[in-house]
Amino acid sequence: MKKILSIISITFLLISCVGNDKMILRESIGKINKVMVVAKISDWTGDVGKEIRNNFGELQVGLPQSEAILSVSQVAPNGFSSMMKSSRNILIISEGATENFSVKKNVYARPQTIVYVQGKDDAGIIKILQDRKTELRRIFLDADIEFTQNIFKKEKLDETQFKTLQNLGLSLIIPDKFRKVDDTGEFLWLRNHLTSGIAKSGSNNILVYSVPLVDKTTVADSIVAVRNKFGKKYIPGSKEGMYMITEKAYTPFTFDATIDGKKAYETRGKWEVKDDFMAGPFLNYTVLDEKNNRLVIFEGFTYAPAVSKRAFLFELEAIAKSMKIQ
């Protein structure tokens, strides 16, 4: 009888452990926009590694300095230790009898994203990496967007204090390090003064406003003109006649996007102050809100001379992609 009770107790304990595995996962570690690649040294130093570095190392458009979309590091399978398994973003490369591309969440830690790529040989692995190039990058970037938003949710601003967001019927997850510069009811400008390192004289900025939707077919072509109009009206320079414009010597890049389930355009480029030396990168999301016959515009721009700016723009992207429109 005691033996039976012992077996029942052990079985119940095992079931409890399995049923609560999510509760005992450790907290993941790793920098934003960084992926750990688990691959053999021969793969990493060969064509497979070259393909991965070319994909993730593609330069982010719109930045004044050369910065990769994603940073990577490598570890061999026999060095994929318990500590390494805590990494938040992992790409595992392997050879096998069948080809495979799969994604798993929270395997060894939480939050965590692991992408498994398996091919019959190097050529098969490289083909998968090439065919899923954009998807592969997006998987890790979207995971980091969600991770960043969850951090911001813990200490976010009370958006009901901003007239513009209320009037436009918008909600955003904005960390409380941002402070109001202007809030007219039609135009919102928030700023985060950077306080550490060499960038402490700089700032991260958020602009939110709306314009009527006139012609869906011309929206993408009008983005620069609209931002220049609002820059002239609301973003002054240090002297009269100075104001923010789109840098004339650099053509912005515009891509299709989706915000709150709505068609949008993502534009990355450089801003400058007319007749002054201030400049930096900007990220603009122009959202087609057909229900309300308007364009909702979120723009983030950074001023941080002499430092890398990818991380600052990524924070602004995470905030923009938290937008909800009534």
Side-chain angles (χ1 to χ4, degrees), residues 159-160 162 164-172 208-210 260 289 292 294 296-298 322-326:
E159 57 199 314
T160 62
F162 302 120
T164 300
L165 295 184
Q166 297 304 298
N167 292 345
L168 296 181
L170 305 179
S171 66
L172 290 160
V208 182
Y209 53 95
S210 174
D260 192 27
D289 181 14
N292 297 301
R294 64 181 180 171
V296 176
I297 298 161
F298 175 104
S322 73
M323 180 188 295
K324 301 295 180 184
I325 302 174
Q326 292 181 4

Side-chain angles (χ1 to χ4, degrees), residues 236-294:
S238 59
K239 297 179 181 179
E240 187 174 351
M242 295 181 175
Y243 50 87
M244 187 174 75
I245 60 174
T246 306
E247 184 177 304
K248 296 178 180 179
Y250 184 92
T251 302
F253 291 79
T254 298
F255 312 91
D256 290 336
T258 302
I259 299 290
D260 192 27
K262 299 173 177 60
K263 180 176 176 57
Y265 294 97
E266 174 186 304
T267 302
R268 293 177 181 266
K270 299 175 186 176
W271 62 270
E272 62 183 356
V273 174
K274 184 178 180 293
D275 298 327
D276 201 355
F277 295 103
M278 292 184 68
F282 74 83
L283 172 67
N284 177 296
Y285 285 97
T286 297
V287 187
L288 279 72
D289 181 14
E290 296 188 63
K291 175 184 175 182
N292 297 301
N293 197 36
R294 64 181 180 171

Side-chain angles (χ1 to χ4, degrees), residues 112-209:
Q112 184 180 64
T113 300
I114 302 181
V115 178
Y116 299 84
V117 174
Q118 178 177 289
K120 296 178 181 180
D121 50 27
D122 285 2
I125 294 171
I126 291 170
K127 187 177 187 307
I128 294 172
L129 293 172
Q130 291 175 340
D131 291 345
R132 312 293 281 264
K133 174 181 178 179
T134 302
E135 179 185 0
L136 181 58
R137 286 198 306 229
R138 198 67 258 168
I139 287 169
F140 290 121
L141 290 170
D142 286 346
D144 278 349
I145 289 286
E146 183 179 359
F147 175 75
T148 303
Q149 289 173 343
N150 286 334
I151 291 175
F152 290 165
K153 284 178 183 178
K154 297 175 183 178
E155 294 181 341
K156 74 184 191 75
L157 287 173
D158 177 9
E159 57 199 314
T160 62
Q161 66 184 291
F162 302 120
K163 295 182 295 183
T164 300
L165 295 184
Q166 297 304 298
N167 292 345
L168 296 181
L170 305 179
S171 66
L172 290 160
I173 301 172
I174 306 171
D176 61 7
K177 58 188 177 182
F178 281 87
R179 298 291 181 267
K180 182 179 73 175
V181 178
D182 198 3
D183 182 18
T184 69
E186 298 178 345
F187 176 86
L188 175 65
W189 179 4
L190 303 176
R191 175 186 289 151
N192 167 33
H193 285 287
L194 306 176
T195 58
S196 62
I198 194 172
K200 63 183 179 182
S201 62
S203 64
N204 237 11
N205 298 264
I206 293 171
L207 309 177
V208 182
Y209 53 95

Side-chain angles (χ1 to χ4, degrees), residues 43-106:
D43 284 340
W44 184 247
T45 57
D47 291 339
V48 171
K50 181 179 179 181
E51 182 63 35
I52 294 170
R53 290 189 295 275
N54 286 344
N55 183 356
F56 292 165
E58 190 171 308
L59 298 183
Q60 180 65 268
V61 300
L63 297 178
Q65 293 103 339
S66 296
E67 297 184 65
I69 294 175
L70 288 164
S71 302
V72 294
S73 61
Q74 178 266 343
V75 62
N78 59 8
F80 191 41
S81 63
S82 176
M83 184 182 72
M84 298 293 187
K85 289 179 180 179
S86 295
S87 298
R88 193 171 62 255
N89 295 323
I90 302 173
L91 170 61
I92 298 181
I93 303 294
S94 63
E95 292 184 7
T98 59
E99 293 185 346
N100 176 57
F101 181 98
S102 59
V103 183
K104 292 186 179 180
K105 296 284 188 177
N106 307 331

Side-chain angles (χ1 to χ4, degrees), residues 310-325:
R310 181 183 71 179
F312 299 136
L313 266 291
F314 192 79
E315 283 194 2
L316 295 171
E317 180 181 351
I319 296 168
K321 290 183 174 178
S322 73
M323 180 188 295
K324 301 295 180 184
I325 302 174

